[in-house]
Amino acid sequence: EFEIALDGAGRPVSRRVEIAGESASFDVAAASEPAQIVVDPDYNMMRRLDPSEIPPTVNALKSSPATLLVLCDAATAGGRQVADTLAGSLGLTNYVVVPEAKVDRDRLKGQDVILVGYPRTVEWLSTMPASLLLQKDGFSLGGGQASGAEDMFFGVFSNPYDPGRVLAVLLPIASPDAANVAAKITHYGRFSYLIFRDGQNRDKGSWEPVDSPVVHRWK
C-alpha cells in the first residue's frame, strides 16, 4: 500500500498495488500537484528499517560507548551536579564533563554528546527539526507549545559532525527541578524528546524521519 499526500485542501489518496516480483508499475490521477508519496504509511509490511527511518532516541545514549557532557556557558552553578546526575541516570560508564570553552567541533566527533544548557555555537544544534525552536531560556515545539518558567526540555538529535553518533540537549537548567528531571530521563528510552513541567513529564515523542527510501517528496 502507498499513500499520496496532496497540497492545499486536497485529501491524501491511498492505493494498494499488487507486487509479484521485484517491482510493479502503477498510475494515479491527482487533482492537484502531490506533496509526497509514502510506501506502507501504516507500517504493515514486515521489513528491516533503513537507518534513516530510525530517529535518535534516549536509548542511543544509554548504550553509548563514549559520551561527552558539555557544560554550556548558559548553565548555572548547578550545571555540574545536573550533568553528573544525568550521566548516572543513563548508566554512562565512559564519559567526561568539560566546560563549553574547551570544546570545538573536532571534540564533538567520535562520541555522543550531551549539552547541558544552550550553547554559544548554534551550529551544534543544526540537526534539530524545523518544528523545534530552542533558546537560552526556553523552547517551543510545533509553533504552539511554548515553555513556561518551570518547563524543561530534553531532546536527542543526530550529531552534526558524526552522523553515526547523537547529540542531546537539556535546557533550561535554572529550574529547581533540573536535577530531578535529569534523573528521570532514562525512563523514556524510546523517545526523541521530553518536556517536563514542575518536574513531571508533560509531553514526549519521536522525530519524524528526515529521509527515507520509502518516501519521496516533491520540491
Side-chain angles (χ1 to χ4, degrees), residues 80-143:
R80 178 60 195 243
Q81 177 189 358
V82 172
D84 288 335
T85 299
L86 183 55
S89 171
L90 293 170
L92 303 180
T93 57
N94 183 22
Y95 73 93
V96 294
V97 181
V98 296
E100 183 178 4
K102 295 185 178 181
V103 178
D104 57 22
R105 61 186 301 169
D106 289 333
R107 188 75 186 271
L108 301 182
K109 298 177 182 178
Q111 56 193 330
D112 299 303
V113 179
I114 301 176
L115 306 178
V116 181
Y118 190 81
R120 291 177 303 168
T121 307
V122 181
E123 180 185 288
W124 293 356
L125 299 173
S126 60
T127 58
M128 70 180 187
S131 60
L132 176 65
L133 174 64
L134 298 182
Q135 298 175 316
K136 177 181 177 181
D137 299 319
F139 58 90
S140 64
L141 182 61

Side-chain angles (χ1 to χ4, degrees), residues 43 49-61 125-134 139-143 145 152-159 165-170 188-195 203-212 217:
Y43 298 96
L49 293 177
D50 186 85
S52 64
E53 297 179 87
I54 304 174
T57 64
V58 173
N59 277 336
L61 291 167
L125 299 173
S126 60
T127 58
M128 70 180 187
S131 60
L132 176 65
L133 174 64
L134 298 182
F139 58 90
S140 64
L141 182 61
Q145 181 147 4
M152 293 189 65
F153 173 86
F154 185 80
V156 188
F157 322 107
S158 296
N159 186 325
R165 302 285 187 168
V166 298
L167 179 145
V169 60
L170 175 66
Y188 302 89
R190 66 187 182 91
F191 297 102
S192 300
Y193 68 86
L194 306 165
I195 295 175
D203 194 13
K204 54 187 177 293
S206 297
W207 309 125
E208 290 293 328
V210 176
D211 192 18
S212 169
R217 296 181 176 91

Side-chain angles (χ1 to χ4, degrees), residues 7-45:
D7 284 328
R11 300 186 59 168
V13 177
S14 295
R15 293 288 187 273
R16 291 184 180 273
V17 176
E18 296 293 333
I19 299 179
E22 294 184 358
S23 63
S25 299
F26 60 90
D27 294 311
V28 176
S32 61
E33 182 179 359
Q36 68 179 20
I37 182 170
V38 181
V39 178
D40 190 30
D42 296 321
Y43 298 96
N44 293 318
M45 185 167 54

